[in-house]
């Protein structure tokens, strides 16, 4: 077995199913009749799940058990699920499923194969523990141990395939871009910002964005400030305004 839990004794002999119909071992898939039979089974399953694309393994009859580990009477309990068992491959996730198609009702046993499954098999029994701790350990009884060995072998092979696949990458998180050196150089330093603030205050001007209700933000850089000051230095009206403010300030 691929991973024995050590907690899986078979149900007591009083619960054996000697009167159950015998599961006939499947023939090899070489004949046209056999291929047609499997195609018919596949099409029937696809009516309820169109994503199923292949029957990996199949056996005509199993009885499902659940392991009751708590309470005053721990032990195996029949799940009231009996019927054909299928190891299925799907086009989309989950890629592999184990299905016991219940002949009693629509209450089937359906489990998605996972890398963390534990398999423990004995004569006529396949036991498996799914990855969710809250779910009980399952047991499948086979009348014909050759059928049990066939399903066990395909389960182990499929689990090995799942475990060998790389883990699916997590969604890539957005990474903030680090400004390049040229971008960093273009931004005014704290000292430069302080100097700009002093100029605005000295000349009685409002900084961009200080106006009430103004929605648009303006980014001021050293280069843009130099260009603006040069432009203002050539503006006669601006120079007269500055001179007037300086005279007023001197007279005070």
């Amino acid at each position: 077995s691929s991973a024995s839990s050590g907690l899986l004794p078979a149900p007591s002999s009083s619960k054996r199913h000697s009167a159950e119909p015998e599961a006939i071992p499947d023939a090899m898939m070489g004949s046209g009749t056999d291929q047609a039979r499997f195609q018919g089974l596949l099409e029937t399953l696809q009516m309820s799940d169109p994503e199923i694309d292949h029957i990996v393994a199949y056996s005509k009859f199993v009885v499902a058990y659940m392991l009751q580990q708590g309470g005053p009477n721990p032990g195996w309990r029949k799940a009231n699920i009996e019927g054909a068992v299928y190891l299925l491959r799907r086009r989309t996730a989950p890629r592999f499923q184990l299905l016991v198609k219940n002949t009693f009702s629509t209450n089937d046993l359906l489990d998605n194969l996972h890398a963390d499954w534990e398999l423990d098999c004995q004569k006529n029994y396949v036991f498996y523990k799914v990855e969710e701790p809250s779910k009980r350990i399952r047991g499948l009884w086979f009348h014909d141990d050759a059928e049990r060995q066939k399903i066990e072998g395909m389960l182990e092979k499929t689990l090995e395939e799942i475990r060998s696949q790389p883990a699916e990458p997590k969604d890539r998180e957005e990474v903030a871009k680090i400004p390049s050196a040229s971008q960093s150089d273009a931004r005014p330093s704290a000292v430069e910002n302080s100097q700009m603030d002093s100029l605005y205050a000295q000349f009685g001007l409002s900084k961009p964005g200080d106006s009430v209700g103004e929605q648009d933000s303006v980014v001021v850089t050293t280069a843009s400030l130099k260009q603006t000051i040069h432009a203002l230095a050539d503006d006669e009206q601006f120079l007269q305004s500055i001179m007037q403010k300086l005279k007023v300030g001197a007279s005070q």
Side-chain angles (χ1 to χ4, degrees):
S1 65
S2 59
S4 174
S5 67
L7 300 174
L8 303 173
S12 63
S13 58
S14 61
K15 296 181 180 179
R16 297 300 175 96
H17 300 267
S18 57
E20 300 291 356
E22 182 174 355
I24 303 172
D26 294 327
M28 298 301 290
M29 289 291 291
S31 67
T33 302
D34 215 43
Q35 290 179 357
R37 179 165 63 90
F38 267 72
Q39 184 61 30
L41 292 171
L42 177 61
E43 291 174 357
T44 300
L45 294 169
Q46 287 172 334
M47 292 176 65
S48 57
D49 183 0
E51 294 302 312
I52 298 171
D53 71 346
H54 183 62
I55 299 174
V56 180
Y58 160 79
S59 187
K60 286 187 175 182
F61 185 82
V62 297
V63 179
Y65 286 85
M66 298 288 178
L67 182 60
Q68 180 68 40
Q69 292 181 280
N73 298 308
W76 290 101
R77 303 286 186 271
K78 288 186 68 174
N80 294 321
I81 299 175
E82 302 180 9
V85 60
Y86 301 87
L87 178 55
L88 304 172
R89 187 184 70 196
R90 304 175 74 256
R91 298 182 183 90
T92 57
R95 289 302 309 279
F96 295 96
Q97 292 180 320
L98 188 64
L99 168 68
V100 179
K101 197 70 176 171
N102 198 1
T103 57
F104 291 153
S105 68
T106 56
N107 181 32
D108 301 329
L109 178 62
L110 180 64
D111 289 311
N112 304 324
L113 269 70
H114 190 278
D116 292 338
W117 270 30
E118 295 181 25
L119 210 60
D120 183 20
C121 301
Q122 303 174 17
K123 181 176 173 59
N124 297 101
Y125 288 94
V126 168
F127 304 106
Y128 62 97
K129 182 179 181 181
V130 299
E131 75 281 4
E132 297 181 34
S134 60
K135 291 187 176 181
R136 290 184 289 175
I137 298 173
R138 286 87 157 92
L140 302 180
W141 175 86
F142 295 77
H143 178 80
D144 187 337
D145 194 57
E147 289 290 285
R148 188 270 305 173
Q149 293 178 39
K150 178 185 69 178
I151 296 297
E152 176 189 356
M154 293 308 299
L155 275 173
E156 289 184 332
K157 182 178 179 181
T158 305
L159 288 171
E160 287 174 5
E161 178 181 340
I162 294 172
R163 290 165 184 150
S164 66
Q165 294 174 353
E168 294 184 2
K170 296 181 179 179
D171 294 337
R172 294 181 178 178
E173 298 180 356
E174 291 291 333
V175 179
K177 293 182 179 180
I178 301 175
S180 63
S182 59
Q183 290 174 324
S184 300
D185 294 340
R187 296 174 182 172
S189 65
V191 174
E192 290 170 335
N193 276 327
S194 177
Q195 291 173 344
M196 289 182 222
D197 291 343
S198 299
L199 285 171
Y200 284 123
Q202 179 181 349
F203 297 122
L205 303 174
S206 298
K207 291 191 298 181
D210 282 353
S211 300
V212 177
E214 185 173 356
Q215 299 297 323
D216 296 332
S217 61
V218 178
V219 178
V220 179
T221 65
T222 304
S224 65
L225 180 61
K226 287 179 181 179
Q227 183 179 358
T228 302
I229 292 176
H230 282 303
L232 291 174
D234 295 332
D235 188 331
E236 187 67 27
Q237 185 177 356
F238 174 77
L239 291 176
Q240 290 295 333
S241 176
I242 295 300
M243 290 298 295
Q244 183 64 30
K245 288 182 179 292
L246 290 174
K247 288 177 182 179
V248 172
S251 63
Q252 292 175 351

